[in-house]
Amino acid sequence: MSILIIIDGLIMEGDPTPGAYCNNLSRIAAVGSTGMLDLGDKTASTSDGKHYSDLILGSGYWGQQNKLPIGYISALGMGLDCDPQKTWGVVGLLHLFQKTNKLLFFSPQRVGLTREEKEKLILGLKDEFAHHGFTLFWSDKWAAAVVSLDRKISVTSTPLEVLEGQSFFDCLPSGDGASTIISLVTTGQMLLARDEVNKQREKNNLLPLNTPWIWGVDQGNKRVADRYPKTVNGGLWSSDVLVAGLGCLAGLQTACIDENTGMDSKTIEQVADVGLQKDAIIHFKTPAQLARLGMLPERQARLEQIDKQFLNPLFAQIAKAGGKITVTTSAKLDKEGKSVASSVPWVTAQGDSLLRKKRFWNRQSLDSGAVMSLDKFSCEWV
């Protein structure tokens, strides 16, 4: 069958060349097949999940629904038995600080939040959330949390991953349930200020996580729930619970990866085994996260790590069996690490091409080739 690899932050304005920090990827671009993928002009952001959904499920999966139920999809990714009639939302933590006359956000990656700290801080909000009618769920596997509410509300709220450096008052939730969500946030701020985890962080000269954030708030989708796959069609590896939820809707068995420690040989073998029998998707998100934080040397190092520790050994295993690998990215990034509306490159190689050396006559680069639609790309990589 086939393997699709999605590397967020693979292409960024200011890079010497497209894919400059992934030598093995550049090599197979020269000897394999390349092209540009038209992601459409619906949005320049990956934070709403649409690009991931189009890549994994196809562009027509949600019909006329413009706003994806991110909370509901994330709950599916956590492995919850989700009632689509309930309202679902994702819960995260940030540091909010005063700068002149503004309150600005620092992301959890910026302040060095550990999984253990995140769990204790979020579970410390559980009783207060329940008092407001929200049930809070925590996943050890994904280090992620969601909430559910028995009644329907619809709220527009900025996803946590793009809040870095934004103003609190410029990003306040809106919609018919906005006041309820804002109340949870402000009450949560008071609880977090007294939490022992934050007190210990301050003693250690670390910034506290003083603000809970809730986004992706909307009712589930009954039509989607009714056609939830009953069989396993392959596998998906990611550190993003939203991507995992989309994988579940595609009938893929999901696994959480730790991008900070790289991919071990056992995981690479599992990916190869699945990809040679069914379809496999592997998603890396940290290069884009590091770019958004302005940590460009760290982004470069992470891309080099992915190339050497994952792509190189996977190419070797798949080549022996004549398998096929396709690599792309979810969005092009500007100099500040923000997603911009643009076509993105893809590259495919199969069998011996995955190991073939680049010769002087191989002129193709990662951004060579004609533009392809999403629907055609979905057929091609599978």
Side-chain angles (χ1 to χ4, degrees):
M1 296 297 282
S2 187
I3 297 175
L4 174 66
I5 302 171
I6 304 169
I7 306 176
D8 293 352
L10 175 64
I11 305 297
M12 184 175 181
E13 186 180 352
D15 286 348
T17 58
Y21 308 120
C22 294
N23 290 333
N24 285 292
L25 186 58
S26 296
R27 176 183 56 78
I28 69 161
V31 300
S33 301
T34 62
M36 300 297 292
L37 175 59
D38 182 6
L39 294 176
D41 57 0
K42 293 177 293 185
T43 176
S45 172
T46 59
S47 59
D48 58 12
K50 290 179 181 177
H51 288 355
Y52 296 131
S53 179
D54 287 350
L55 287 169
I56 295 170
L57 297 170
S59 59
Y61 185 85
W62 298 94
Q64 298 301 313
Q65 185 172 346
N66 293 320
K67 179 183 173 186
L68 300 192
I70 292 176
Y72 174 66
I73 298 169
S74 299
L76 291 174
M78 287 170 51
L80 299 179
D81 184 11
C82 304
D83 183 348
Q85 301 298 330
K86 293 183 177 182
T87 294
W88 296 86
V90 189
V91 183
L93 300 168
L94 301 115
H95 173 74
L96 193 64
F97 68 101
Q98 180 89 35
K99 184 176 182 181
T100 60
N101 61 340
K102 289 187 176 183
L103 290 171
L104 303 179
F105 290 109
F106 266 174
S107 69
Q109 292 84 14
R110 176 79 68 184
V111 302
L113 177 66
T114 68
R115 292 170 66 100
E116 293 76 15
E117 289 173 329
K118 182 178 180 181
E119 179 181 4
K120 291 177 181 178
L121 288 168
I122 285 183
L123 290 180
L125 303 171
K126 189 171 186 177
D127 290 343
E128 185 61 29
F129 278 24
H131 179 71
H132 289 266
F134 287 82
T135 303
L136 190 149
F137 303 88
W138 168 262
S139 168
D140 286 329
K141 176 182 177 180
W142 296 95
V146 296
V147 289
S148 69
L149 181 67
D150 287 343
R151 60 188 175 88
K152 178 183 177 181
I153 61 172
S154 182
V155 179
T156 299
S157 184
T158 305
L160 182 145
E161 68 177 57
V162 294
L163 282 176
E164 170 82 15
Q166 299 293 313
S167 166
F168 176 77
F169 293 108
D170 289 344
C171 298
L172 286 176
S174 60
D176 62 8
S179 60
T180 302
I181 299 301
I182 293 171
S183 177
L184 281 183
V185 170
T186 54
T187 303
Q189 287 175 323
M190 292 186 287
L191 291 174
L192 290 173
R194 302 193 296 265
D195 196 286
E196 288 300 322
V197 172
N198 274 328
K199 289 181 180 180
Q200 186 60 49
R201 285 181 62 87
E202 290 175 322
K203 287 179 182 178
N204 296 335
N205 295 317
L206 297 172
L207 293 174
L209 281 300
N210 56 16
T211 300
W213 196 251
I214 304 170
W215 73 100
V217 181
D218 210 341
Q219 192 176 32
N221 188 303
K222 190 174 186 307
R223 181 179 66 86
V224 167
D226 289 341
R227 59 186 177 123
Y228 193 87
K230 305 300 182 184
T231 58
V232 176
N233 301 318
L236 178 143
W237 288 258
S238 178
S239 61
D240 190 322
V241 71
L242 172 62
V243 172
L246 293 168
C248 291
L249 292 175
L252 304 177
Q253 186 172 348
T254 62
C256 184
I257 58 174
D258 185 351
E259 295 184 43
N260 295 319
T261 59
M263 299 282 280
D264 58 32
S265 58
K266 182 179 178 181
T267 303
I268 293 170
E269 288 177 4
Q270 291 172 344
V271 172
D273 288 343
V274 172
L276 291 171
Q277 300 177 54
K278 298 184 179 181
D279 292 324
I281 298 176
I282 306 92
H283 167 240
F284 295 97
K285 67 182 294 184
T286 51
Q289 286 182 331
L290 293 167
R292 281 194 296 270
L293 296 176
M295 302 170 68
L296 301 188
E298 289 82 358
R299 167 187 171 258
Q300 177 179 338
R302 182 55 48 82
L303 287 171
E304 291 172 345
Q305 177 194 43
I306 292 170
D307 188 65
K308 293 175 183 177
Q309 296 184 12
F310 177 71
L311 295 183
N312 192 37
L314 183 65
F315 289 170
Q317 289 202 34
I318 297 301
K320 294 176 184 177
K324 177 182 175 183
I325 293 180
T326 301
V327 184
T328 189
T329 186
S330 57
K332 181 180 178 180
L333 305 182
D334 64 14
K335 289 184 177 180
E336 296 180 348
K338 296 178 181 178
S339 303
V340 295
S342 173
S343 296
V344 298
W346 59 266
V347 55
T348 295
Q350 188 167 5
D352 293 341
S353 295
L354 290 164
L355 299 179
R356 189 177 301 154
K357 292 182 179 180
K358 178 182 177 181
R359 304 299 183 183
F360 71 88
W361 58 81
N362 297 130
R363 302 293 186 180
Q364 288 186 149
S365 62
L366 197 61
D367 58 349
S368 301
V371 176
M372 181 182 290
S373 69
L374 261 168
D375 290 338
K376 185 175 181 181
F377 176 77
S378 296
C379 296
E380 288 288 331
W381 86 259
V382 172

